[in-house]
Each structure stands twice: as structure tokens, then as C-alpha cells.
Amino acid sequence: MIMNVENTLGVVVRVREFDPSKDGLSVEQVESRCEVGPSGKLCLFTDLLGDPICRVRHSPAFLMLVAEIGDEIVGMIRGCIKTVTCGKKLSRNGKNNNKPLPVYTKLAYILGLRVSPSHRRMGIGLRLVKRLEEWFRESGAEYSYIATENDNDASVKLFTDKCGYSKFRTPSILVNPVYAHRVTVPKHVTIIQVGASDAELLYRRKFSTTEFFPRDIDSVLKNKLSLGTFLAVPRGSYSPESWPGSDAFLSNPPESWAVMSVWNCKEVFKLEVRGASRVRRTLARTTRIVDRVLPWLKIPSIPELFRPFGLHFIYGLGGEGPRAVKLVKALCGYAHNLAKESGCGVVATEVSSGDPLKLGIPHWKVLSCAEDLWCIKRLGEDYSDGSVGDWTKSPPGLSIFVDPREF
């Protein structure tokens, strides 16, 4: 996969597939040159732990491209493809009459677009996107989407003005620090860890019509980075010892319940906050010391975010019933304690901005992103079920399923 193109400045740019045997160091250098934050402001930096394709390698199909001028790598892009839910339709089967069924489509995802600062405004980013989209089409993808910050004007303009993408969804990234003390899970709530097969059955029965639900949810749940699926129920309804399995549970569920799964991003990448003043660092250190010495006070201390730290990601968050929000909060407390045991700095999740369960997710606004921006583009016309039409024009639902492999 090689393409030579000549840009308007008469410079020959070659786009080819990333070669891990020889490109690792050059790619790392471009990444470091791109991660230069504005002076005097807090910035978040990412360490991919020496694996440039770590954020796509767990997807069913993936590709990384690099752009070269001569022998110098000046840009890169990653992409992956999977099958997800894009809508729903009513069953025509007599046994499942009027039961909504998922409509699937083949969806591509673009991430990790980087162009060296000294080679910007030369059309390199656009060429990388176009070549990756060619691979998407060759692989049968009908849609492509990207996620970016709402205020990243350069990225938004590239994709919406030059690449034909349209603004699609605005989910919220919610981040909570991991304190030095454990969070108390209410005694009236029972947390049950369910096996991967039970989790798959539960997710397919209850959430398969949720937008972006991955058809290969079994691969996600069985991945070594998935730390487990956890169910919260009112105490007395079910217990770990008497767990009957998801089939029996769904046949006779309690009035309220909630579920989540946890993904270990710590083994994929590390984050680091840079640009903090000495005063901020001292304040953060002081809160941690007090929290360690006096844990019973439950002081919300600031973790060590100014050195590389890991995170756990909560995915597949859902529930039903009048107490579902409170049960979600209990699950988040359990996830906090799990992250504390693993030495993580934060716990994060991403949900639809209108998801009613959002009210039960503890988070710090200063660490969170109220509106992430997803942009989408239709690549083809002949893959998904015609009952959905053009997914890019569909209104948002209450919930979305955020695949942890791509967070």
C-alpha cells in the first residue's frame, strides 16, 4: 500500500503502511513533536508505551499509515473497522413479534492523526485521511467517524470542511480521580461479578439495539484487558452465591439493577498532565498526604497526575428501574476501589450527553469533557439494512455504547 503524490509546493509525499520493524522510533519522535502544549496552560500528554498501534490492535481489522518526505516520516494516521448497531427494526418473526432487533453496519474509525509541526499546511493530513478512507471502502465499510475535542478547530475544519464529515454526536467524557482512601459501597447494594458468557447474554438481550453496540461484544468481554462485568442489585434480591445466570436473571429481574464492565487502559497507554504551577503541585501533594494519614475523613484528594499515570475505563454502563441511578453510583464506587488496587490515577467513562444514568456517575468537571465531538461520513450505499436509511441523518438516542478498544 504505497502512494506517491506531489503537493502544491512540489514536494513528493509518499504514504505507506507502518512497518513496526523500522518505523517505531521515527513515529515516536513525530508524536513527541506534536505534543507541545500552549505555554502556561495545563495539557494532557499520552505515552503509548512503545506501541504505536496499541489503540487499534484489539479491533477486528486495523491499519496504520505513515507519510514520508524522502526518508523522513512526517505524519501518521490509524484506523480500524468493526460492525456496530446503527439502528433498530421490528422483528417479523412470530415468536418475537414487535420486539426491536439491531440493524448492523460496518463502521470505520479514524484516530491518531499526526503531522509534524514543520510540515503542516502542506495537505499531508488530508492525504493521509483520503488514503485511509480508500482502505475503509476496499474493506466494505459503509461509514467512517472520528472523535475530537469540540474546541479543536483545526481538526474539526479538516474533517467537516475538507473531508465531508458532519457533526454527529456529542457524548460526555466523565473522569473521576482515584483517592488515597477507598470509597464505601452502600450496604443495601450487592455487587455480583458475572462471567464473560453471562455478560455477553445480558448485553445482547438488553443493549444490542443501542447505537454503536459492537457485534463482536464477545471479543470485547473476553479480551485480556477487560477486567470483568459487574452487576449491582438491591441486597436480598440476588447474591454471588445464588447467582442463577443471566438467562434466569432476565426472566425474573429485580425492580432495579445496573451493570458495568471495566477495561484496563493502564496496560495500553499512560497519561500525564503537564504545565501545572508549583503551587498546584504542592496543593495536590498536600491533599494526598492528608488523605493517606486520615482516610476516615474521606477527603477528595488529587492523585499524582503530574507524572505518568494509568486509568480504568468503565464501558457497557446500563440499567433499569427507579433506583438504577443509585445503583450506577454504587458500581462507580466499586470501580474506584478496583482502580485504587491497580494503582491507577483516574477512572473514566463516556456516555451520551442525554443519558439519564449520567446523574449517577461521580466525576470532576475540571478533569472531564462535557462535550466530546463525533463526526461521521457515509462511504458507501450498499451495506446496511435499508430500514435505517442514512445513519448520518438520524437523531441521537438516549444512550450510546462506547467501545473501550477505541477510547
Side-chain angles (χ1 to χ4, degrees):
M1 180 178 289
I2 297 175
M3 176 179 65
N4 287 326
V5 294
E6 186 172 311
N7 68 17
T8 55
L9 299 178
V11 178
V12 175
V13 180
R14 187 170 76 139
V15 177
R16 62 170 175 81
E17 189 170 343
F18 167 74
D19 184 346
S21 68
K22 66 176 185 178
D23 295 336
L25 181 59
S26 297
V27 164
E28 217 171 285
Q29 290 171 346
V30 175
E31 291 272 11
S32 63
R33 287 198 295 270
C34 291
E35 290 201 327
V36 178
S39 178
K41 293 187 178 180
L42 292 176
C43 303
L44 190 64
F45 292 80
T46 308
D47 178 0
L48 301 180
L49 305 179
D51 183 7
I53 58 173
C54 65
R55 291 183 61 205
V56 293
R57 72 161 58 253
H58 296 282
S59 295
F62 62 86
L63 179 69
M64 178 173 175
L65 299 174
V66 296
E68 286 183 321
I69 295 178
D71 294 328
E72 181 186 3
I73 292 179
V74 297
M76 69 206 70
I77 194 169
R78 292 99 165 164
C80 55
I81 303 172
K82 62 183 178 180
T83 301
V84 305
T85 298
C86 64
K88 54 188 173 183
K89 61 181 180 180
L90 293 180
S91 170
R92 296 177 183 176
N93 186 322
K95 295 181 181 180
N96 298 311
N97 197 26
N98 294 326
K99 178 184 177 181
L101 298 176
V103 175
Y104 293 108
T105 189
K106 208 167 186 179
L107 175 69
Y109 179 48
I110 295 176
L111 69 161
L113 174 61
R114 301 281 189 273
V115 176
S116 179
S118 59
H119 292 86
R120 291 175 183 170
R121 301 185 184 278
M122 296 171 63
I124 294 173
L126 179 61
R127 286 179 172 81
L128 283 166
V129 172
K130 293 298 184 184
R131 186 62 193 93
L132 190 60
E133 286 181 345
E134 287 180 27
W135 177 70
F136 290 160
R137 291 188 179 92
E138 292 165 2
S139 303
E142 184 180 6
Y143 295 95
S144 172
Y145 86 109
I146 63 107
T148 187
E149 297 88 354
N150 230 335
D151 58 356
N152 188 339
D153 294 334
S155 178
V156 173
K157 286 180 180 178
L158 171 64
F159 284 97
T160 59
D161 294 353
K162 297 181 179 180
C163 298
Y165 287 71
S166 55
K167 296 181 179 180
F168 189 56
R169 300 291 183 258
T170 53
S172 301
I173 299 176
L174 306 178
V175 182
N176 205 48
V178 175
Y179 308 130
H181 65 266
R182 291 176 60 85
V183 172
T184 302
V185 176
K187 292 182 178 180
H188 60 267
V189 176
T190 297
I191 307 291
I192 303 170
Q193 181 170 2
V194 302
S197 297
D198 264 343
E200 180 190 352
L201 177 62
L202 191 154
Y203 278 122
R204 290 198 189 279
R205 291 265 190 94
K206 301 303 294 186
F207 305 110
S208 64
T209 57
T210 301
E211 200 173 44
F212 290 94
F213 180 85
R215 194 172 192 171
D216 66 333
I217 184 65
D218 53 324
S219 297
V220 179
L221 295 167
K222 293 173 182 176
N223 191 291
K224 63 181 180 180
L225 295 174
S226 191
L227 300 179
T229 299
F230 306 89
L231 190 70
V233 295
R235 183 169 293 278
S237 54
Y238 289 96
S239 69
E241 296 76 25
S242 64
W243 171 247
S246 290
D247 197 23
F249 172 80
L250 292 173
S251 298
N252 184 33
E255 183 184 29
S256 299
W257 58 272
V259 65
M260 73 168 182
S261 297
V262 180
W263 188 266
N264 186 12
C265 293
K266 183 183 177 185
E267 300 302 317
V268 182
F269 58 83
K270 295 284 183 71
L271 301 174
E272 180 182 356
V273 176
R274 297 181 187 171
S277 66
R278 184 175 296 178
V279 172
R280 287 189 178 189
R281 290 171 179 268
T282 302
L283 175 62
R285 191 180 304 112
T286 302
T287 65
R288 291 195 301 276
I289 292 172
V290 174
D291 195 7
R292 288 194 194 100
V293 174
L294 305 171
W296 59 85
L297 293 180
K298 307 292 184 183
I299 294 174
S301 55
I302 303 171
E304 178 54 89
L305 305 180
F306 310 116
R307 288 185 292 187
F309 65 91
L311 69 93
H312 282 175
F313 181 73
I314 297 174
Y315 71 98
L317 194 61
E320 291 183 350
R323 296 173 59 192
V325 169
K326 291 183 178 179
L327 293 173
V328 163
K329 186 174 182 180
L331 283 174
C332 289
Y334 188 91
H336 169 280
N337 296 339
L338 193 64
K340 182 181 182 300
E341 291 170 7
S342 299
C344 291
V346 300
V347 177
T349 190
E350 188 165 14
V351 296
S352 171
S353 54
D355 194 324
L357 297 181
K358 181 179 175 182
L359 295 173
I361 303 172
H363 62 281
W364 282 16
K365 288 185 178 180
V366 69
L367 299 177
S368 303
C369 175
E371 277 197 357
D372 198 17
L373 177 62
W374 292 6
C375 298
I376 196 169
K377 175 181 179 177
R378 190 166 194 179
L379 299 172
E381 300 293 332
D382 56 356
Y383 188 86
S384 71
D385 191 302
S387 63
V388 174
D390 188 349
W391 187 22
T392 67
K393 295 179 173 59
S394 65
L398 279 180
S399 303
I400 57 171
F401 194 103
V402 178
D403 193 325
R405 295 173 294 190
E406 299 168 359
F407 176 73

